[in-house]
Amino acid sequence: MDGVDALLWTLMIIGAAVVVGSLFALRALPRDLRPFAIVPLGVVLAGFVVGFLVLAGVFG
């Protein structure tokens, strides 16, 4: 595993911790603020998809 793959795996692990923490925080927020909290969570999940595609070698 080269340095870039290790960096991507590290970022994926940090991102997973952020997603889990966001889900717990999302449950604690009032209903009127939840849509604003879902947007960053969606961005992180989209980053997961791109990261896994990069690690799988889809982009070359």
Side-chain angles (χ1 to χ4, degrees):
M1 179 183 319
D2 62 348
V4 176
D5 284 344
L7 177 64
L8 279 173
W9 276 113
T10 304
L11 291 174
M12 297 293 273
I13 292 168
I14 292 169
V18 168
V19 168
V20 171
S22 295
L23 290 175
F24 285 120
L26 189 63
R27 296 181 59 109
L29 286 175
R31 280 202 182 277
D32 55 341
L33 294 178
R34 286 182 187 172
F36 297 110
I38 290 174
V39 172
L41 185 60
V43 170
V44 171
L45 291 175
F48 270 145
V49 171
V50 172
F52 280 123
L53 289 175
V54 168
L55 287 171
V58 172
F59 299 114

